[in-house]
Amino acid sequence: MALTGSMSAGISGLKAHMDALTVVGNNVANVNTYGYKPGRVTFKESIYSTQAAGSDGTDAVGGTNPRQTGYGCSVGTIDLDMSTMNVDSTGRDSDVAIRGDGFFLVGDKLGVDIDNLDSLLLTRVGKFRIDNNGYLTDNYGNIVYGFAACNGTNAGVNDIAGTPNAQPGLAGDAISTQLVPLRLPLAAKGNGADANIAGAETGDAIYPGVTDGVGTNNWDGLNYSDYEAITYNSLSIGADGKVVCINDKTGDPVTIGYIAMATVPNPAGLTHTEGPYYQALEGAGKLAINTAGGALSGKYLNNQTAAGGAGGAGAPDPDTLLGKGADLLSGFLEQSGTDLATEFANMIIYQRGYQANTRIVTVTDAMLEELVNMKR
């Protein structure tokens, strides 16, 4: 029956407005969720039935327009507003907010290859802490990725761009550009127990080398299970992403490393996974790795140099060049992007749209009832 077309249109409108109201409900529910990016719904017209095609006309008669009947609407897009939001002061130096575009990178302890960076999770929530194994983690136990401090006194490690030597050492004055899970240095045992580390005294921070291309810390010559991470206080993260603390045993400042950041060409194209996490799947574009404020700008991932280096033979891939990321704001977290005034206004609009579509359904039902009752 022809009347069922209006019924179908009304039902499609009900479904679309219910989906839109679900998005509004999610936005309102997350009004106090740090780092939340609100969704925005747009509608699109549904399919059309062509009753008569248009014509261009002839020398004798004019043209005609096509006659088409629509069958309702559906949700066209659900867009994320990935712009930078206001920040909330927390008073904790290990909390950081991103002031601009970009994301923190988190994952597991196993490391990552630079050809598989999209396996890492992205987040805007910089609520970090050190866990019981010395890893820098977020609030859900995912490990924060970055560039670790290394022993810069051995041959081949002479500055921030140098190739880290695989031998552990005491200096910690070089930064590897191998992307690794960030972790506290280990505490030296001293008294001859660390004979392979010249000058190590009890409690000194000993720094790892990094195995090229592996993407995880390497403690060459040490049985990691025999050592514990240093005890520390005053953990803080600077505007350039530098993670520092004070060694409890020695009182010396310790640089853990620099937090890595990532950008994508289309942030709204990121795939939202569980909680505050996103993945750079299809639609987002290729991940670019950088550091806050450009702390390591001009260096290449995997400790490569412009002439080739530890990460592979020949000149490095230009895509592995570290760029300048947004600055970080220590002691703050990014607030939710939900605007309650906008959401309540949308709620009213969608509610009225839903109500209007119910009228189409009930009126169509009444007309069908009259049709059935014609024989009486």
Side-chain angles (χ1 to χ4, degrees):
M1 288 183 290
L3 287 174
T4 57
S6 61
M7 182 76 78
S8 297
I11 291 173
S12 71
L14 292 176
K15 291 180 177 178
H17 282 82
M18 181 57 73
D19 287 341
L21 199 58
T22 299
V23 173
V24 169
N26 190 51
N27 290 342
V28 173
N30 287 281
V31 66
N32 290 312
T33 301
Y34 285 126
Y36 176 74
K37 300 301 180 183
R40 184 194 65 175
V41 174
T42 62
F43 297 105
K44 70 175 182 178
E45 300 165 273
S46 191
I47 61 173
Y48 280 84
S49 172
T50 301
Q51 298 174 355
S55 66
D56 292 334
T58 67
D59 293 339
V61 297
T64 60
N65 297 327
R67 297 197 306 273
Q68 295 179 292
T69 302
Y71 287 88
C73 74
S74 62
V75 172
T77 63
I78 302 177
D79 307 309
L80 291 178
D81 181 2
M82 302 300 290
S83 57
T84 302
M85 304 302 175
N86 293 329
V87 295
D88 186 23
S89 175
T90 65
R92 298 184 54 172
D93 291 338
S94 59
D95 291 342
V96 285
I98 301 173
R99 306 309 301 144
D101 295 334
F103 299 85
F104 301 113
L105 291 153
V106 298
D108 57 30
K109 301 176 180 179
L110 303 179
V112 66
D113 186 88
I114 62 172
D115 295 325
N116 194 32
L117 294 178
D118 56 5
S119 64
L120 295 175
L121 297 175
L122 309 179
T123 181
R124 294 275 299 185
V125 182
K127 186 173 171 54
F128 302 140
R129 62 183 180 87
I130 300 291
D131 73 359
N132 60 319
N133 291 312
Y135 283 100
L136 183 67
T137 71
D138 66 8
N139 208 38
Y140 301 97
N142 290 296
I143 314 301
V144 180
Y145 273 65
F147 306 107
C150 294
N151 172 27
T153 59
N154 292 330
V157 189
N158 44 33
D159 57 27
I160 204 169
T163 301
N165 193 292
Q167 292 297 324
L170 294 171
D173 57 0
I175 302 294
S176 165
T177 60
Q178 178 74 53
L179 189 63
V180 297
L182 289 179
R183 193 174 194 180
L184 287 172
L186 297 184
K189 295 180 179 180
N191 301 323
D194 300 303
N196 59 329
I197 303 175
E201 298 181 0
T202 303
D204 280 342
I206 51 178
Y207 292 83
V210 176
T211 301
D212 295 323
V214 174
T216 187
N217 291 336
N218 172 54
W219 298 91
D220 191 15
L222 297 177
N223 183 353
Y224 188 85
S225 61
D226 291 340
Y227 288 79
E228 294 181 353
I230 63 168
T231 57
Y232 71 96
N233 61 67
S234 303
L235 178 71
S236 63
I237 301 173
D240 57 356
K242 186 177 181 179
V243 186
V244 298
C245 63
I246 301 298
N247 189 335
D248 272 341
K249 298 295 185 182
T250 65
D252 296 327
V254 173
T255 297
I256 299 171
Y258 286 79
I259 292 176
M261 298 178 64
T263 56
V264 292
N266 179 25
L270 291 169
T271 300
H272 202 163
T273 61
E274 184 180 3
Y277 302 118
Y278 303 86
Q279 274 192 289
L281 304 180
E282 291 187 10
K286 188 174 183 180
L287 272 175
I289 306 300
N290 46 57
T291 49
L296 301 179
S297 291
K299 316 305 178 187
Y300 288 91
L301 285 173
N302 282 4
N303 304 298
Q304 300 172 101
T305 66
D317 184 344
D319 288 342
T320 65
L321 182 66
L322 296 174
K324 180 179 179 180
D327 289 336
L328 303 181
L329 192 57
S330 180
F332 292 84
L333 291 174
E334 187 177 38
Q335 294 179 351
S336 168
T338 298
D339 182 341
L340 284 178
T342 299
E343 300 306 327
F344 285 156
N346 287 339
M347 187 189 305
I348 294 171
I349 293 170
Y350 298 149
Q351 180 188 17
R352 292 307 184 190
Y354 188 91
Q355 185 180 32
N357 279 277
T358 63
R359 294 300 297 158
I360 296 295
V361 173
T362 56
V363 168
T364 303
D365 178 58
M367 294 174 70
L368 289 171
E369 183 181 7
E370 290 297 324
L371 182 62
V372 171
N373 290 337
M374 282 181 64
K375 186 178 179 182
R376 294 183 182 179

